[in-house]
Amino acid sequence: MLLPLAVSLGVFDDKWIPFAGDLRIECYRDTIGDKYIRTLYCGKESPVTGQQSALIPLSTFKSVIGEFRLDRKTYDDLCETQKEDEERHKLELRTGYKIKITEEATTAAGM
């Protein structure tokens, strides 16, 4: 999972990621309350796409990752779907039956 994140942030250096390689996104706040993000890839400061410094304002970081961010509603919906899938899988394991959810079933149930 590290490679897609490193590529999307623009910090991947086109070399195979070493064993136990890491990508750190550190959060800082200055004395007046402004927030900053610093990115490090495999222990080295690595500026995200289009930036000269690895330490940038949070607002800049948000604009860089904008297309990859989820709004709160989408995040909650995806988490709920994941929970439903996990519950269905547990039920399948307990009963031994494969459960298939169809569009008609979700519409009839008001989902």
Side-chain angles (χ1 to χ4, degrees):
M1 297 302 289
L2 180 60
L3 182 61
L5 183 58
V7 170
S8 65
L9 290 174
V11 299
F12 182 61
D13 59 5
D14 294 324
K15 296 178 185 165
W16 191 255
I17 299 170
F19 178 74
D22 67 313
L23 174 66
R24 284 180 272 163
I25 301 173
E26 300 176 341
C27 303
Y28 295 93
R29 182 176 298 180
D30 65 16
T31 55
I32 59 172
D34 292 334
K35 297 175 184 174
Y36 295 87
I37 299 293
R38 182 172 81 145
T39 50
L40 295 100
Y41 177 66
C42 295
K44 298 176 187 165
E45 285 193 343
S46 300
V48 294
T49 300
Q51 303 302 308
Q52 298 299 314
S53 173
L55 181 67
I56 57 175
L58 177 61
S59 58
T60 302
F61 183 77
K62 285 181 176 180
S63 69
V64 169
I65 65 165
E67 67 182 282
F68 305 108
R69 290 180 61 209
L70 298 176
D71 61 50
R72 188 64 185 185
K73 181 175 177 0
T74 304
Y75 176 81
D76 289 342
D77 290 347
L78 289 170
C79 288
E80 188 60 36
T81 301
Q82 178 67 28
K83 289 176 191 173
E84 291 169 1
D85 289 346
E86 289 172 3
E87 290 300 317
R88 185 171 60 245
H89 181 68
K90 287 177 188 175
L91 184 59
E92 288 173 348
L93 290 174
R94 281 198 309 265
T95 63
Y97 293 104
K98 182 76 174 162
I99 300 170
K100 182 176 181 182
I101 304 296
T102 64
E103 185 66 32
E104 296 81 24
T106 56
T107 304
M111 300 173 103

